[in-house]
Amino acid sequence: MAILNVRKYGDPVLRRRGEPIREVTPEIRQLAADMIDTMYDEAGLGLAAPQVGAALRLIVVGDERGRDPRALVNPAITAQGGEIVAEEGCLSIPGIFAEVARAEWVQVEAIDLDGRPVALRARGLLARAYQHELDHLDGVLFIDRLDPVTRDRIKRRIKKEGLSEVAHHAFAL
Ligand code: NI
């Protein structure tokens, strides 16, 4: 078990596009296991590899109770629908929360840690978690999805006050 350092807003790795994973090696499985440990240590619902400094297309997401974590390699959203606006946060931007519009449901296709293709459907909070983590793989943060006025207000606040020391909140992804 290893708890990894979660990179914070301003770290350039959060803006890098994750590289596709060509093969699920023991190193990738170890990274996924460490990311799950880190996600739970931070009381998050999901975590993407760039958030721990690895610019790779790998995410981990827990279920709505934070159990049964699953790791997805090279995930892609293949269908989505509906729209829900709800409060969202990010372990890389601790202390900042804002309402973000997301699809209500998504279908995700990926590779599991055994190298097998998997497809899943999620709705509500879980669908939000998948969309948030997939954004991380493209260097996109949730504040990028806010209206410009709100986004600027948040950026000014971070500049002035810095980031919170603790991220612990129900919907940090
Ligand atoms: Ni996040």
Side-chain angles (χ1 to χ4, degrees):
M1 167 162 172
I3 306 296
L4 305 172
N5 181 30
V6 175
R7 305 300 180 91
K8 298 302 186 313
Y9 180 73
D11 189 315
V13 75
L14 293 174
R15 292 307 194 178
R16 280 183 61 191
R17 204 181 146 74
E19 293 287 329
I21 292 170
R22 288 183 186 188
E23 193 189 343
V24 182
T25 59
E27 289 75 21
I28 293 293
R29 279 192 279 270
Q30 185 61 51
L31 176 60
D34 291 345
M35 283 170 60
I36 288 169
D37 291 341
T38 305
M39 172 175 81
Y40 284 136
D41 184 61
E42 298 268 354
L45 288 173
L47 197 63
Q51 289 183 277
V52 293
L56 294 169
R57 302 190 83 76
L58 170 66
I59 63 170
V60 297
V61 175
D63 71 9
E64 305 205 15
R65 291 177 189 153
R67 295 186 210 138
D68 192 25
R70 63 193 301 172
L72 297 180
V73 172
N74 301 338
I77 291 174
T78 50
Q80 63 181 60
E83 186 183 283
I84 290 192
V85 176
E87 188 175 70
E88 200 167 308
C90 178
L91 295 174
S92 294
I93 319 176
I96 301 291
F97 300 92
E99 305 246 300
V100 185
R102 298 280 190 187
E104 200 278 328
W105 63 266
V106 293
Q107 179 175 299
V108 179
E109 292 184 20
I111 303 288
D112 69 14
L113 290 181
D114 297 318
R116 286 191 294 247
V118 287
L120 62 95
R121 269 189 175 238
R123 52 197 309 280
L125 179 59
L126 265 186
R128 177 168 297 273
Y130 282 113
Q131 291 168 82
H132 178 114
E133 302 314 336
L134 264 86
D135 270 354
H136 274 300
L137 303 186
D138 293 327
V140 173
L141 302 173
F142 82 94
I143 57 172
D144 302 334
R145 295 200 174 274
L146 305 176
D147 68 87
V149 173
T150 308
R151 184 170 58 238
D152 288 350
R153 184 166 49 74
I154 286 173
K155 285 186 175 175
R156 278 201 306 275
R157 186 179 143 197
I158 293 173
K159 215 169 190 179
K160 193 168 153 223
E161 301 172 14
L163 291 166
S164 161
E165 290 297 309
V166 281
H168 294 179
H169 184 284
F171 301 131
L173 304 159

